[in-house]
């Protein structure tokens, strides 16, 4: 590694941000994010057997870098997503194949029945319903196979050919391939699967959990372990669908993240779009808190008006990544979050509703700060006792 690059890495801050790796021609070949920039970038140049072959090839081409600092790790995640989408760096595509997204499709075959399939090119798929995109192909395939086997719809008969298939004899197919009442019952099962993938029912997951427990009680631990893995894969489908629904329906959230020393970051998020990113001082007394709540209401209202009320377009692959980051962030305890009604943000709306929501957010932030301080004191005491 060149001495100039070594010195640049040594001078990097221990703060959140995004790093942009460059080759000998100055082209940006990789974009990454970090909670602590110096430690993350240094890790690339430490000789380690843990580095993948792709990472070693990337490092061999790095000749320079630049950084974009952010106030929080959350902002670094979002900035990384946006830069990858804009710049399309060569090694981001190599490290994570952009074509690796997978879909679950419900389509109708020649025999008139609906079938559940895994597809990889939705543009060429003319199914009745499509769920996804999902980023883990193997997990989706495992989940779909688990659902089919658990519900006994793993038919091995070619579409359009009538008669019981081999899997029917093995107990893995309920016999819809032979028509009659089994075919009618099968259509009801497909409806249940659709409800499950939509997130309106967890019955199938409960049925799969019961199958796992039954196998364990029979001391068939190999089958129980397989059923457990299939159940986890199915849970992954539900989590992803919630994230995609979160982005598509445009849920609006006001978020406050404490940065320490009386400073916080205020975010306004609609779906997977960040509408406001504003640093503000936290109030230290009750009267100031009421004034601050009103100011937050004005900031949020102005940001929403400036963004326009356009409807979220079809979810893209990059949207899935952003939705996952934002959804996970809002579900965590790292910051205080308050959902907002769209009516509160309209131009003619009464500002008091927004101010009240902001006041609740500030109060939640104070409680979270107290809890974090208490947790820090406990950790310090435990550390001190360990040293004695």
């Amino acid at each position: 590694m060149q001495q100039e690059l070594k010195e640049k890495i040594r001078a990097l801050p221990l703060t959140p941000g995004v790093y942009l790796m460059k080759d000998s021609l100055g082209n940006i070949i990789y974009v990454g994010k970090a909670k602590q920039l110096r430690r993350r970038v240094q890790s690339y140049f430490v000789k380690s057997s843990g580095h993948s072959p792709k990472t070693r090839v990337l490092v061999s081409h790095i000749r320079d870098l630049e950084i974009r600092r952010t106030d929080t790790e959350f902002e670094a995640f979002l900035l990384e997503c946006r830069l990858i989408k804009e710049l399309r760096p060569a090694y981001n595509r190599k490290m994570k194949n952009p074509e690796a997204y997978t879909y679950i499709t419900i389509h109708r075959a020649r025999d008139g029945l609906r079938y559940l399939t895994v597809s990889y090119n939705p543009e060429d798929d003319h199914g009745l319903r499509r769920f996804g995109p999902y980023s883990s192909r193997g997990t989706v395939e495992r989940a779909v196979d688990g659902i089919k086997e658990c519900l006994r719809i793993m038919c091995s008969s070619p579409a359009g050919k009538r008669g019981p298939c081999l899997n029917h004899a093995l107990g893995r197919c309920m016999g819809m391939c032979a028509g009659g009442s089994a075919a009618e019952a099968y259509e009801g099962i497909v409806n249940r699967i659709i409800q499950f993938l939509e997130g309106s029912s967890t019955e199938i997951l409960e049925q799969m959990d019961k199958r796992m427990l039954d196998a364990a009680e029979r001391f068939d631990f190999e089958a129980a372990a397989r059923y457990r893995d299939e159940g986890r894969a199915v849970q992954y489908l539900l989590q992803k669908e919630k994230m995609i629904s979160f982005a598509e329906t445009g849920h609006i959230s006001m978020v406050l993240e404490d940065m320490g020393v009386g400073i916080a970051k205020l975010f306004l998020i609609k779906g997977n779009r960040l509408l406001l990113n504003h640093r503000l001082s936290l109030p230290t007394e009750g009267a100031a808190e009421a004034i601050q709540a009103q100011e937050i209401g004005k900031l949020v209202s102005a940001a929403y008006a400036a963004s326009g009320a356009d409807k979220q377009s079809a979810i893209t692959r990059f949207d899935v990544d952003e939705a996952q980051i934002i959804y996970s962030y809002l579900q965590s305890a790292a910051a205080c979050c308050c959902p907002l009604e769209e009516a509160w943000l309209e131009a003619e709306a009464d500002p008091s509703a927004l101010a009240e929501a902001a006041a609740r957010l500030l109060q939640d932030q104070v409680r979270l700060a107290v809890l974090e301080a208490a947790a820090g004191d406990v950790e310090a005491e435990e550390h001190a006792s360990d040293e004695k």
Side-chain angles (χ1 to χ4, degrees):
M1 182 170 49
Q2 300 172 345
Q3 185 62 31
E4 184 179 348
L5 182 56
K6 284 183 179 179
E7 293 177 358
K8 183 174 286 190
I9 294 172
R10 197 178 298 120
L12 291 177
L14 289 171
T15 55
V18 168
Y19 52 91
L20 298 87
M21 303 296 199
K22 300 181 179 181
D23 62 12
S24 58
L25 299 176
N27 298 316
I28 296 172
I29 57 175
Y30 188 75
V31 174
K33 80 281 184 184
K35 185 176 183 179
Q36 295 180 317
L37 282 165
R38 188 197 310 161
R39 291 179 181 173
R40 181 68 185 103
V41 173
Q42 283 177 337
S43 70
Y44 284 94
F45 300 94
V46 175
K47 292 182 179 180
S48 171
S49 58
H51 285 171
S52 68
K54 290 180 180 179
T55 301
R56 288 194 289 270
V57 173
L58 165 66
V59 172
S60 70
H61 287 88
I62 297 173
R63 296 294 180 271
D64 194 9
L65 65 89
E66 66 176 90
I67 64 169
R68 310 273 178 90
R69 297 177 66 166
T70 60
D71 288 325
T72 67
E73 187 180 14
F74 171 63
E75 292 173 278
F77 273 110
L78 294 178
L79 179 58
E80 179 202 34
C81 266
R82 189 168 72 248
L83 289 175
I84 290 174
K85 183 177 180 179
E86 292 174 359
L87 302 174
R88 304 288 181 115
Y91 279 89
N92 284 98
R93 294 198 297 272
K94 291 178 182 178
M95 308 288 266
K96 181 179 179 182
N97 183 1
E99 302 301 324
Y101 284 86
T102 306
Y103 301 81
I104 296 175
T105 303
I106 308 289
H107 69 92
R108 193 176 298 279
R110 286 177 297 173
D111 60 4
L113 296 178
R114 293 173 296 172
Y115 287 91
L116 189 69
T117 60
V118 177
S119 58
Y120 312 103
N121 190 0
E123 290 78 10
D124 298 333
D125 197 330
H126 303 290
L128 303 174
R129 290 290 304 274
R130 188 172 71 237
F131 299 91
Y134 305 102
S135 55
S136 177
R137 175 173 177 170
T139 303
V140 173
E141 291 175 342
R142 189 180 306 115
V144 169
D145 286 345
I147 290 173
K148 288 181 176 180
E149 184 177 355
C150 180
L151 301 178
R152 296 179 58 237
I153 59 171
M154 191 168 277
C155 184
S156 57
S157 177
K161 181 179 178 181
R162 288 294 182 179
C165 64
L166 177 60
N167 277 347
H168 176 62
L170 298 175
R172 305 175 73 189
C173 172
M174 64 186 298
M176 64 277 195
C177 38
S181 60
E184 294 179 7
Y186 168 76
E187 285 295 306
I189 290 175
V190 174
N191 289 334
R192 287 172 54 201
I193 293 173
I194 292 173
Q195 291 173 354
F196 174 74
L197 292 174
E198 290 175 338
S200 59
S201 171
T202 58
E203 181 184 351
I204 290 176
L205 185 59
E206 293 167 3
Q207 189 171 338
M208 295 181 74
D209 287 342
K210 184 179 184 302
R211 182 181 61 155
M212 177 189 67
L213 295 174
D214 289 344
E217 290 177 358
R218 297 193 308 269
F219 301 103
D220 188 353
F221 298 116
E222 183 178 349
R226 181 163 61 87
Y227 297 155
R228 176 203 61 203
D229 293 342
E230 289 174 349
R232 289 175 177 172
V234 169
Q235 287 178 327
Y236 162 85
L237 297 185
L238 287 182
Q239 184 75 353
K240 285 292 183 180
E241 278 301 318
K242 287 179 181 177
M243 293 174 187
I244 294 166
S245 174
F246 168 83
E248 286 180 328
T249 54
H251 293 286
I252 305 173
S253 302
M254 183 168 55
V255 182
L256 196 63
E257 183 174 14
D258 191 356
M259 295 171 55
V261 295
I263 304 295
K265 259 305 179 68
L266 174 68
F267 303 104
L268 178 65
I269 300 169
K270 181 179 182 182
N272 68 320
R273 296 172 57 206
L274 186 63
L275 306 184
L276 175 66
N277 180 347
H278 182 80
R279 184 187 294 203
L280 52 81
S281 299
L282 292 171
T284 56
E285 56 186 38
E289 183 177 292
I291 296 173
Q292 183 71 285
Q294 293 177 359
E295 290 301 317
I296 289 175
K298 292 178 182 178
L299 285 169
V300 167
S301 181
Y304 181 79
S307 71
D310 57 311
K311 186 180 179 183
Q312 171 70 53
S313 57
I315 295 298
T316 67
R317 292 163 179 172
F318 286 103
D319 290 331
V320 173
D321 291 336
E322 290 185 341
Q324 179 173 350
I325 291 168
I326 295 174
Y327 183 86
S328 300
Y329 174 74
L330 297 183
Q331 298 300 310
S332 73
C336 300
C337 175
C338 178
L340 301 180
E341 297 288 341
E342 196 157 11
W344 300 349
L345 297 161
E346 295 175 355
E348 64 277 8
D350 183 350
S352 62
L354 205 52
E356 289 173 7
R360 291 194 299 271
L361 193 66
L362 288 169
Q363 292 166 6
D364 289 343
Q365 189 278 328
V366 171
R367 285 192 287 268
L368 180 60
V370 171
L371 289 173
E372 289 181 344
D377 291 342
V378 170
E379 185 177 347
E381 290 177 4
E382 290 177 347
H383 181 68
S385 62
D386 290 340
E387 291 182 342
K388 290 180 180 179

